[in-house]
Amino acid sequence: MIAPADDKQPLRVVADADGPDAYALRDYLTRSEVPFLSIVVPPGSASAAGVDLVGRALPLVILSDGAILEDPTPEQVAAALGWVNPPSRSTYDLIIHGAGPAGLSAAVYAASEGLSVAVVERDAVGGQAGFSSLIENYLGFPGGISGAELAERARRQAVSFGADLVLMRHGVDRTFTDHDVRARLADGSEIHAHAALCATGVQWRRLDLARAHDLEGAGVYYGAGTSEASACIGLRVYVVGGANSAGQAAMNLAAHAAHVTVLVRGPSLSATMSAYLLNRLAVQPNVTILVNTRVVAVDGDDHLREITLDQAGATTRVPATHLFVCIGGAPNTEWAQTTDVRLDRRGFVLTGIDLSPGDLDRWPLERAPHYLETSVPGVFAAGDVRANSVKRVASAVGEGAMAVTLIHRYLAEVAPL
């Protein structure tokens, strides 16, 4: 989000291994649009980048002003960059949970229309879209735009209108009663609002395989691997998935890796991937698409070394050091378990006409829920977290804007503006 000044060195990440801690930092910085240099040194190195490494806990993050963070978390890096700040007020018109495309869109429209807005985000701005190396079918960007850049532009726009971004924070408790939304954050602070928008999106589904968790960030990566593409020069890498996210990952990786193999569980890609991506993959000389293929095992020491493929019942073990997994998302709705917000059987938030009479057994108003309103009056949902939403960036942006119009109607009912 903040580029180093021209007269300072870029931020540097120094690590002695390609492990999960270093990956978490690279991934966070990449999705936050922070330029940085990644420096991998042999274990036991005495110095790197002009810094003495003896006795220091790696990875190191060397800030542009020379300050050194030892083995930091992404939150600690964000704090050092000045991004982690408390809410500027205790009460808002609207609390938005999630700073992906839907949440940022809602923040822009709500703040520009005079509402006081807090956007609470527990990770990098951009949500799942921030993992996209290049979005080519988003209106107005004929040359494409990375998800991280799109999110950063939206963040700046929301802030310029006065939205309050509460970053690297997450709600540990939420209550929605009597038109009062309360969000207690992990740092102990609490904020109130008259309405809430759930735009918490989805998270990548994980491989349900032995060793997959152990190797996450050390050869097994979830998402397009934007931060790792430059480390794949000359390598043979694998991408799991058959939707647009997998296609974008494969094209991005193909610009660096010697060869990219796309592993597709189904018989073809035509039903799950946009035609423009499918056509590009088909003519990319260093990309191979294997259909009816699943990864059934991953193995390695402290890093991925091998995967096992099942192709129509026949298993094959192949060497592999980089496996990028893009197999859809599970909704971020664990927060709903202690509320009256109803979910569908897959865990997505039900809104509007998708709510059944049984879902509305505690609905207190004479009117029916608005289109994007949940089973709790004044609590709305938009984007990928919403049941039956169209999982596209443009759709999420549109729902965020639409939600603000409906929130205005709700606020006029309970507290005329």
Side-chain angles (χ1 to χ4, degrees):
M1 281 187 254
I2 302 175
D6 293 339
D7 60 344
K8 294 182 179 180
Q9 294 191 55
L11 186 150
R12 289 160 287 169
V13 178
V14 180
D16 62 358
D18 183 19
D21 293 340
Y23 167 69
L25 296 172
R26 293 193 301 268
D27 179 64
Y28 177 74
L29 292 169
T30 299
R31 290 188 289 125
S32 298
E33 282 281 283
V34 178
F36 70 96
L37 296 177
S38 179
I39 303 171
V40 179
V41 298
S45 296
S47 65
V51 173
D52 184 6
L53 302 182
V54 177
R56 293 189 183 274
L58 300 185
L60 300 181
V61 172
I62 306 171
L63 302 177
S64 57
D65 63 2
I68 299 174
L69 306 178
E70 295 189 33
D71 192 20
T73 64
E75 181 176 0
Q76 290 169 329
V77 173
L81 293 173
W83 299 347
V84 180
N85 299 297
S88 64
R89 55 198 298 175
S90 59
T91 302
Y92 297 84
D93 293 316
L94 172 65
I95 296 175
I96 299 172
H97 293 276
L104 290 172
S105 170
V108 167
Y109 282 96
S112 68
E113 294 168 10
L115 297 181
S116 57
V117 183
V119 183
V120 180
E121 171 56 55
R122 64 182 178 183
D123 194 11
V125 168
Q128 195 175 37
F131 289 92
S132 297
S133 56
L134 189 66
I135 303 171
E136 295 184 83
N137 58 355
Y138 187 67
L139 187 67
F141 294 91
I145 184 171
S146 74
E149 183 182 355
L150 181 64
E152 172 58 12
R153 291 187 180 197
R155 183 199 67 82
R156 294 199 304 265
Q157 195 173 12
V159 170
S160 72
F161 283 121
D164 193 358
L165 266 68
V166 186
L167 302 179
M168 301 304 284
R169 305 286 179 87
H170 66 276
V172 295
D173 186 42
R174 307 178 196 189
T175 58
F176 314 124
T177 56
D178 298 326
H179 312 298
D180 178 33
V181 175
R182 301 186 182 191
R184 185 163 57 86
L185 306 181
D187 65 353
S189 60
E190 184 174 281
I191 53 178
H192 297 235
H194 300 300
L197 175 65
C198 170
T200 49
V202 298
Q203 58 184 321
W204 293 109
R205 294 188 185 278
R206 267 41 185 175
L207 291 174
D208 186 18
L209 300 174
R211 298 300 323 278
H213 176 73
D214 298 338
L215 296 171
E216 185 172 337
V220 176
Y221 309 101
Y222 292 92
T226 306
S227 66
E228 305 307 297
S230 61
C232 295
I233 295 174
L235 302 179
R236 300 181 67 88
V237 303
Y238 294 82
V239 176
V240 181
N244 280 6
S245 56
Q248 291 166 352
M251 289 302 300
N252 180 47
L253 292 165
H256 303 270
H259 195 89
V260 179
T261 302
V262 182
L263 309 174
V264 184
R265 186 169 188 164
S268 74
L269 288 172
S270 59
T272 56
M273 186 176 292
S274 294
Y276 80 92
L277 269 176
L278 182 55
N279 292 338
R280 290 185 182 181
L281 288 175
V283 298
Q284 184 67 28
N286 64 335
V287 171
T288 298
I289 299 173
L290 298 181
V291 298
N292 297 315
T293 303
R294 298 180 300 127
V295 177
V296 293
V298 295
D299 203 1
D301 38 39
D302 58 350
H303 196 281
L304 178 69
R305 304 298 177 193
E306 179 184 88
I307 61 176
T308 302
L309 306 180
D310 182 316
Q311 297 175 279
T315 58
T316 307
R317 296 166 64 179
V318 296
T321 57
H322 290 73
L323 178 70
F324 299 91
V325 184
C326 307
I327 54 175
N332 287 313
T333 51
E334 65 281 353
W335 55 268
Q337 305 304 319
T338 57
T339 74
D340 289 329
V341 173
R342 298 291 188 257
L343 310 177
D344 71 5
R345 59 182 180 80
R346 297 182 300 160
F348 290 88
V349 178
L350 291 165
T351 61
I353 60 174
D354 290 325
L355 289 160
S356 69
D359 294 323
L360 297 173
D361 56 355
R362 300 183 65 178
W363 180 258
L365 305 181
E366 291 185 7
R367 67 164 175 81
H370 293 305
Y371 178 65
L372 297 178
E373 195 168 20
T374 70
S375 53
V376 176
V379 179
F380 296 77
D384 288 358
V385 76
R386 192 178 68 82
N388 298 320
S389 65
V390 177
K391 304 301 189 277
R392 289 286 188 271
V393 173
S395 299
V397 169
E399 287 195 3
M402 184 191 305
V404 172
T405 297
L406 300 176
I407 288 166
H408 274 299
R409 294 180 189 175
Y410 170 79
L411 292 176
E413 295 171 0
V414 299
L417 301 177

